[in-house]
Amino acid sequence: MPQLPPSPTSPCIEMIPEPRTIPDGLASLVDRFEPPPLPPGNAPVFLFASAWRSGSTLVQRLLVSGGELLMWGEPYDHSTLVRRMAESLIPFSDKWPPVNYIVDPEDPPTAERWIANAYPSPADLLAAHRAFFDRLFSEPAAAAGFSRWGFKGVRLGGEHALYLKRISPDARFIFLHRNPYDAFLSYRMLHEIRTHSYWWYHRWPDEQVATAEHFGPIWSRLTESFIRWAPEVGGTVVAYEDLTRGSKFSAIADAADVPIDESILESKVGGTRQQRGEWDRASHELTATEMASLRETAGRLGRALGYVGPSTGGIGS
């Protein structure tokens, strides 16, 4: 059978170098297509924590205490909206998309020309990403009477902050980490007292986190990414332990540029704080296997941050 000639615009098949990352895709998109910066957007605030039981709800309550900011809490976590949208930019490279696929608005495609591949500008793509977040988060916050918005997440890393900074250039970031031994112990104990609940997912439906062996690499990867990318996005890295000692509150307020009311910490609402009697049913110590797993998967970075093992009495969130 004779071979059909390639279309005039079909590219040669070439493998994209691996691994590709969100920063790689963003850099290629910006370098090749030079999209203009998107306009400010009321300075949204993004709070990223290094996995569960790291104090994100405590910081969230502080940030909303001034009444100016509506901070959504892990919105549509199973859908992983930010992660999936950011990952959609990974394929951008020095070869993809071919520049002749991008439609020039002053020379639009017609039926008399090859139009099998006709893409809007990458600048429009980024603007559409921004419009998605504005419609989902900013507009409902404004309708509820808040001048600013944000959200907290426990599954997002510094590379996702880089993506959010590109589409919301005035965004503010707070990165929160906690002793991984304490965080996992609190996570496991919470599951033990909530026997009706399931282990939470890092990525639904494939990455359910049920053991220290699962938890440690997630903590390490997220925390390392916070340290790596915080300077790039102007973010502030905060240790949960500093908050429990009553310090760093001003750093949080400054990072978000919102007033906070520390008195709200005197009231306990929801969560495990109202279930303190239930903690006695759970094991308050890490097993030898859990300790070994955390030392192997999170120990190197943990030691660099001063986390050499479990602290005493640090089981809350």
Side-chain angles (χ1 to χ4, degrees):
M1 180 180 294
Q3 296 294 313
L4 294 175
S7 70
T9 57
S10 60
C12 297
I13 297 176
E14 184 171 338
M15 297 298 293
I16 295 176
E18 295 291 344
R20 296 289 297 173
T21 65
I22 293 166
D24 289 337
L26 273 172
S28 294
L29 188 159
V30 172
D31 291 346
R32 288 186 62 204
F33 298 101
E34 300 181 343
L38 290 165
N42 294 331
V45 180
F46 301 112
L47 167 63
F48 291 179
S50 56
W52 303 276
R53 312 301 292 163
S54 295
S56 62
T57 302
L58 172 97
V59 177
Q60 180 188 20
R61 291 183 65 207
L62 285 167
L63 291 173
V64 304
S65 65
E68 176 181 314
L69 172 72
L70 173 55
M71 175 162 280
W72 307 98
E74 301 174 43
Y76 297 102
D77 57 345
H78 284 189
S79 298
T80 59
L81 298 174
V82 175
R83 181 188 290 162
R84 292 178 189 273
M85 293 191 71
E87 288 175 350
S88 74
L89 303 181
I90 289 177
F92 279 84
S93 69
D94 58 351
K95 296 181 177 62
W96 188 91
V99 69
N100 57 348
Y101 283 14
I102 308 301
V103 169
D104 181 352
E106 297 183 1
D107 185 24
T110 67
E112 290 76 28
R113 297 163 60 182
W114 179 261
I115 59 172
N117 301 100
Y119 297 4
S121 166
D124 294 320
L125 176 64
L126 290 178
H129 279 229
R130 164 68 174 275
F132 173 83
F133 288 100
D134 283 347
R135 180 62 186 88
L136 181 59
F137 298 120
S138 181
E139 292 181 23
F146 293 87
S147 60
R148 295 176 63 196
W149 67 278
F151 60 71
K152 73 159 185 164
V154 297
R155 300 168 176 85
L156 300 173
E159 65 275 16
H160 303 108
L162 195 71
Y163 160 75
L164 290 169
K165 188 70 171 179
R166 169 55 56 179
I167 63 173
S168 293
D170 59 344
R172 294 171 174 268
F173 296 90
I174 298 170
F175 301 102
L176 180 67
H177 61 76
R178 183 189 184 186
N179 183 323
Y181 303 92
D182 294 345
F184 175 74
L185 177 58
S186 180
Y187 177 72
R188 191 250 290 149
M189 290 175 63
L190 181 62
H191 180 75
E192 289 179 8
I193 69 170
R194 292 180 175 177
T195 55
H196 62 282
S197 67
Y198 56 84
W199 292 107
W200 294 330
Y201 289 88
H202 181 59
R203 183 191 287 263
W204 184 90
D206 302 319
E207 295 183 41
Q208 196 171 26
V209 181
T211 67
E213 186 178 11
H214 296 149
F215 191 96
I218 293 170
W219 179 92
S220 187
R221 186 167 62 250
L222 291 178
T223 305
E224 191 163 23
S225 76
F226 295 169
I227 296 168
R228 164 66 181 87
W229 292 107
E232 298 286 334
V233 299
T236 298
V237 181
V238 178
Y240 169 80
E241 292 75 19
D242 288 334
L243 299 176
T244 61
R245 289 190 288 265
S247 61
K248 295 295 183 179
F249 292 141
S250 61
I252 290 173
D254 291 344
D257 192 25
V258 296
I260 63 173
D261 179 5
E262 296 179 27
S263 69
I264 62 102
L265 299 179
E266 298 172 6
S267 62
K268 314 301 181 185
V269 293
T272 57
R273 299 288 187 179
Q274 294 180 352
Q275 304 175 28
R276 281 302 180 186
E278 300 293 323
W279 285 111
D280 292 339
R281 290 167 38 193
S283 172
H284 286 244
E285 294 183 356
L286 294 171
T287 66
T289 299
E290 290 169 340
M291 284 288 294
S293 292
L294 290 169
R295 282 177 177 147
E296 179 178 355
T297 58
R300 178 191 59 81
L301 182 57
R303 287 190 297 274
L305 295 172
Y307 302 138
V308 295
S311 63
T312 58
I315 61 175
S317 71

